[in-house]
Amino acid sequence: MIDHTNKSIAEQAKAIEANLLSPLTLLEAYLDKIRNQPQSKNIFTEIYYDEALKEAENSEERQKRGLRKSLLDGIPINWKDLFDFEGKKSEGGSLLLSGRIAKSTAEIVINANKFGLVSIGKTHLTEFAFSGLGVNPKTATPPNSTNNLIAPGGSSSGSAVATALSLSSAGIGSDTGGSVRIPAAWNNLVGFKPTHGNLSLNGVLKLCPSFDTAGPITKTVQDSDYLYHIL
């Protein structure tokens, strides 16, 4: 049996399109990997089990009916814990925001939902997305995917590590001075910082609004292109 969790987004999407892979099967494989990952709590702040399963079930129904929302309908992604999901915790890697519940959903998350992407959960980051090392002694520091004795890179540390360890198809992070590109490089991934202002930051905890961008962390350049255009 093919392990599609190790494949690129493009390969997964084409398998779903050809009815060789079910979105629900793909999600369940990722959730199983997360349960069996000893350091998953240092990578993810929260897993959206019920919501993600519902999204994957809906995607599978669209697949069966030939009504997929996009090529990436059914692809599970993780989100750095500074993108708001209404009714969910959004704490920005800081104890100062512990227990903060988002009152609305970030525009970029709404875009992802509109095209059928499955939100598997939120990932750890450095406090307030400040620091390129990826170390956060206040909450959690994800292990580098190549060597858990070295820093994972930041600030989108969890998003990169979850992607590199094939715990989700890709991650969405933010980049002010390298916070997508550094953890991507340190975990053998592709990190893309789009032109400032191209992706909405409405509903995103900001470090420096005049520099901040949202961007994908993926396994391939092609995957970054696909994900960027949807977001």
Side-chain angles (χ1 to χ4, degrees), residues 96-114:
L96 294 174
L97 296 180
S98 180
R100 175 183 176 269
I101 303 298
K103 296 180 180 178
S104 59
T105 299
E107 188 173 328
I108 192 172
V109 176
I110 293 172
N111 289 345
N113 293 341
K114 185 165 60 177

Side-chain angles (χ1 to χ4, degrees), residues 191-214:
F192 174 47
K193 179 181 181 178
T195 299
H196 181 261
N198 277 14
L199 297 181
S200 172
L201 292 177
N202 292 334
V204 181
L205 178 67
K206 300 172 185 63
L207 174 61
C208 179
S210 59
F211 284 91
D212 292 349
T213 65

Side-chain angles (χ1 to χ4, degrees), residues 14-216:
K14 290 172 184 175
I16 294 173
E17 187 76 17
N19 293 314
L20 299 174
L21 173 65
S22 152
L24 186 57
T25 298
L26 179 60
L27 174 66
E28 288 175 338
Y30 278 127
L31 293 177
D32 188 55
K33 276 194 168 184
I34 291 170
R35 292 187 191 98
N36 290 301
Q37 167 54 242
Q39 296 213 53
S40 62
K41 290 185 178 179
N42 291 328
I43 300 169
F44 288 90
T45 63
E46 187 173 4
I47 305 296
Y48 298 155
Y49 288 103
D50 293 340
E51 294 87 350
L53 285 168
K54 183 62 178 177
E55 289 173 10
E57 288 170 357
N58 291 340
S59 178
E60 186 175 272
E61 183 60 29
R62 291 191 294 271
Q63 177 194 33
K64 291 176 180 177
R65 297 171 60 192
L67 297 173
R68 300 183 71 220
K69 292 182 175 181
S70 73
L71 177 65
L72 303 195
D73 193 340
I75 299 297
I77 60 173
N78 76 73
W79 297 84
K80 186 178 185 177
D81 190 26
L82 45 64
F83 294 94
D84 283 353
F85 285 68
E86 184 178 2
K88 295 291 187 181
K89 289 189 293 185
S90 188
E91 300 175 329
S94 177
L95 296 181
L96 294 174
L97 296 180
S98 180
R100 175 183 176 269
I101 303 298
K103 296 180 180 178
S104 59
T105 299
E107 188 173 328
I108 192 172
V109 176
I110 293 172
N111 289 345
N113 293 341
K114 185 165 60 177
F115 288 97
L117 289 164
V118 175
S119 296
I120 201 168
K122 302 280 281 296
T123 47
H124 283 289
L125 64 150
T126 56
E127 188 170 19
F128 295 124
F130 187 79
S131 167
L133 291 177
V135 175
N136 189 333
K138 301 293 181 64
T139 55
T141 298
N144 185 290
S145 64
T146 64
N147 183 337
N148 61 18
L149 296 179
I150 61 178
S155 62
S156 307
S157 52
S159 293
V161 172
T163 303
L165 293 178
S166 295
L167 304 179
S168 65
S169 300
I172 309 302
S174 65
D175 191 312
T176 304
S179 290
V180 160
R181 294 163 290 165
I182 294 171
W186 289 12
N187 289 276
N188 296 324
L189 298 168
V190 176
F192 174 47
K193 179 181 181 178
T195 299
H196 181 261
N198 277 14
L199 297 181
S200 172
L201 292 177
N202 292 334
V204 181
L205 178 67
K206 300 172 185 63
L207 174 61
C208 179
S210 59
F211 284 91
D212 292 349
T213 65

